[in-house]
């Protein structure tokens, strides 16, 4: 029997990993599903999306189940204004930010005559109609480009598409540091809105970054949802590229790892195996399932009897975790000596209470 090869062109959307955005369907939220009283910049809920805020309202961010019907999405990111600021100061700003390593965007050929255009598509819903801004920022060369989109119907999911020309000036560094940012503006003072919108690549000028942007912070009635964010090479938006949940989770783990995964609903449990190097020195190692982007920083909750070392029919409670060695693929940790009393060579399991959390971050 003759075997016929079917060309890739015979399939729809044959390109794998065409979406530069990680977790664009908002399905992974290792830090939790809701955070209230947001007034400062940080990562709060959905992985890979940072809230950048400078004195523009107070917000609750959540991973929502409100999604566009029939599009395959289960989650969205929601911003809810809880304290309004109807008159922003000149330097006030608010935007959602996601960023990418330079080594992952080399195929865009930025800084050459063959530089690729980029198309960003996404679903958005808000009660606040009007003009919004999406901005690309080249961190390596301090260059930016902004495009506007219009929300036409209040409280209705709408799909938006904006296309950015390729930039023939300034190549991205080929490394694991941040090179490209995507900013979804939600409000800004005159420092960012008083010029002319910079719709072509050029050296970043703050006054030209978010011209025309509505102020989502002007009322506590305002909400903004987004999901299905896709950024891809070319001038045409393809259908959203859904990835298996394990693939999507592993891509997020390169940047942030919640070892004691409270969002799953666990109350308490064992999270590591350890051994006594001496009668009072307890060591334990946490391996990372995915090698992290860079040597991470650790954040571990501390408090009275937050952790317990169970060994040889005995138990030692301890209050905090001390870092001894951090690498991209593991963390070597220990307990405070004053809390441990046993026999060198004993091993056992390390248990945590419902108050404990241990995370590792290598965010850009």
């Amino acid at each position: 029997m003759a075997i016929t090869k079917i060309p890739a062109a015979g399939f729809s959307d044959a390109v794998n990993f065409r979406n530069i955005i990680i977790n664009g369907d908002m399905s992974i939220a290792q830090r939790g599903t809701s955070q209230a009283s947001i007034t400062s910049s940080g990562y709060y809920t959905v992985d890979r999306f940072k809230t950048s805020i400078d004195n523009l309202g107070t917000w609750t961010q959540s991973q929502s189940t409100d999604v566009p019907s029939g599009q395959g999405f289960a989650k969205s990111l929601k911003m809810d204004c809880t304290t309004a600021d109807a008159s922003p100061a000149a330097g006030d700003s608010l935007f959602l930010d996601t960023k990418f390593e330079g080594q992952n965007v080399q195929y865009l050929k930025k800084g050459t005559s063959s530089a690729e255009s980029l198309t960003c598509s996404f679903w958005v819903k808000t009660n606040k109609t009007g003009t919004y801004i999406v901005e690309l920022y080249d961190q390596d060369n301090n260059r930016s480009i902004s495009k506007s989109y219009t929300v036409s119907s209040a409280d209705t999911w709408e799909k938006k598409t904006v296309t950015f020309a390729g930039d023939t000036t300034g190549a991205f560094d080929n490394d694991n540091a941040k090179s490209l940012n995507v900013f979804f503006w939600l409000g800004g003072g005159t420092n960012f809105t008083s010029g002319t919108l910079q719709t072509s690549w050029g050296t970043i000028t703050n006054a030209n970054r978010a011209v025309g942007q509505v102020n989502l912070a002007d009322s506590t009635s305002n909400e903004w949802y987004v999901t299905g964010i896709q950024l891809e090479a070319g001038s045409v938006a393809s259908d959203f590229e859904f990835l298996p949940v394990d693939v999507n989770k592993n891509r997020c783990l390169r940047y942030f790892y919640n070892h004691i995964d409270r969002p799953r609903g666990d109350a308490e449990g064992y999270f590591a195996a350890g051994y006594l190097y001496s009668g009072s020195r307890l060591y334990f190692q946490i391996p990372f399932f995915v090698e992290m982007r860079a040597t991470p920083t650790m954040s571990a909750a501390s408090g009275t009897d937050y952790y317990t070392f169970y060994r040889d029919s005995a138990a030692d409670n301890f209050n905090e975790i001390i870092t001894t060695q951090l690498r991209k693929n593991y963390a070597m940790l220990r307990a405070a000596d004053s809390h441990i009393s046993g026999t060198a060579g004993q091993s056992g399991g390390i248990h945590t209470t419902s108050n404990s959390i241990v995370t590792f971050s290598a965010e850009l």
Side-chain angles (χ1 to χ4, degrees):
M1 178 185 294
I3 298 176
T4 302
K5 180 179 179 181
I6 301 175
F11 296 96
S12 174
D13 296 332
V15 180
N16 293 321
F17 295 103
R18 65 183 176 275
N19 189 4
I20 300 171
I21 303 287
I22 297 174
N23 199 33
D25 63 354
M26 311 297 167
S27 61
I28 307 298
Q30 293 187 77
R31 295 171 176 86
T33 57
S34 184
Q35 176 65 54
S37 303
I38 296 173
T39 57
S40 60
S41 298
Y43 291 91
Y44 293 106
T45 60
V46 173
D47 279 42
R48 303 299 301 125
F49 287 89
K50 179 181 179 180
T51 302
S52 294
I53 182 171
D54 190 354
N55 296 313
L56 193 53
T58 303
W59 301 83
T60 294
Q61 183 183 102
S62 58
Q63 183 191 45
S64 173
T65 56
D66 189 333
V67 294
S69 177
Q71 300 301 319
F73 300 106
K75 305 291 184 182
S76 64
L77 184 150
K78 176 185 177 182
M79 295 292 292
D80 179 17
C81 182
T82 56
T83 300
D85 183 353
S87 301
D92 293 356
S93 62
L94 173 65
F95 52 84
L96 200 64
D97 175 13
T98 188
K99 57 200 76 174
F100 314 99
E101 299 174 49
Q103 61 190 2
N104 288 339
V105 289
Q106 293 299 303
Y107 69 95
L108 299 178
K109 302 182 285 289
K110 190 177 180 298
T112 75
S113 59
S114 302
E116 298 275 0
S117 58
L118 283 166
T119 295
C120 184
S121 55
F122 52 95
W123 288 86
V124 66
K125 173 183 173 180
T126 177
N127 63 295
K128 180 76 172 177
T129 59
T131 299
Y132 291 76
I133 303 298
V134 181
E135 179 187 20
L136 302 186
Y137 175 53
D138 169 4
Q139 184 88 28
D140 297 322
N141 301 286
N142 197 36
R143 293 171 63 79
S144 71
I145 183 173
S146 296
K147 289 297 181 75
S148 65
Y149 67 94
T150 301
V151 174
S152 303
S153 301
D155 301 316
T156 303
W157 280 104
E158 298 177 347
K159 186 174 183 180
K160 304 299 177 182
T161 301
V162 291
T163 298
F164 304 87
D167 188 12
T168 58
T169 300
F172 290 133
D173 294 343
N174 189 12
D175 57 23
N176 67 345
K178 59 184 173 183
S179 286
L180 178 63
N181 294 59
V182 182
F183 300 142
F184 291 85
W185 282 85
L186 300 177
T190 56
N191 284 359
F192 307 100
T193 61
S194 59
T196 301
L197 192 66
Q198 187 163 307
T199 56
S200 299
W201 281 101
T203 300
I204 192 166
T205 301
N206 276 338
N208 300 337
R209 295 176 63 187
V211 179
Q213 170 68 44
V214 301
N215 178 19
L216 193 70
D218 67 4
S219 170
T220 55
S221 298
N222 291 344
E223 300 173 337
W224 183 83
Y225 301 78
V226 68
T227 194
I229 302 177
Q230 182 149 296
L231 182 69
E232 58 193 305
S235 57
V236 177
S238 60
D239 290 341
F240 184 82
E241 183 181 49
F242 288 97
L243 297 178
V245 65
D246 56 334
V247 175
N248 195 27
K249 178 70 174 288
N250 283 345
R251 297 183 81 194
C252 294
L253 290 175
R254 178 170 172 80
Y255 304 94
F256 182 79
Y257 174 37
N258 185 354
H259 184 66
I260 303 175
D261 198 353
R262 290 289 165 250
R264 295 182 314 184
D266 296 348
E268 57 182 36
Y270 290 94
F271 70 94
Y275 70 96
L276 289 175
Y277 176 78
S278 67
S280 61
R281 179 61 59 90
L282 168 64
Y283 284 109
F284 54 100
Q285 185 184 81
I286 294 177
F288 304 145
F289 297 114
V290 174
E291 183 175 281
M292 303 197 77
R293 178 191 65 85
T295 300
T297 57
M298 184 189 77
S299 177
S302 61
T304 302
D305 297 341
Y306 270 26
Y307 309 95
T308 303
F309 176 49
Y310 289 101
R311 42 86 189 171
D312 194 26
S313 301
D316 295 301
N317 295 325
F318 58 101
N319 301 342
E320 63 179 329
I321 294 173
I322 299 171
T323 300
T324 62
Q325 190 177 67
L326 287 174
R327 295 291 185 266
K328 290 194 289 185
N329 54 0
Y330 71 89
M332 181 61 74
L333 310 169
R334 69 177 179 86
D337 292 356
S338 60
H339 296 275
I340 304 298
S341 178
T343 301
Q346 288 182 329
S347 60
I350 299 170
H351 189 274
T352 178
T353 72
S354 58
N355 295 317
S356 306
I357 190 166
V358 181
T359 65
F360 301 88
S361 178
E363 294 284 6
L364 287 162

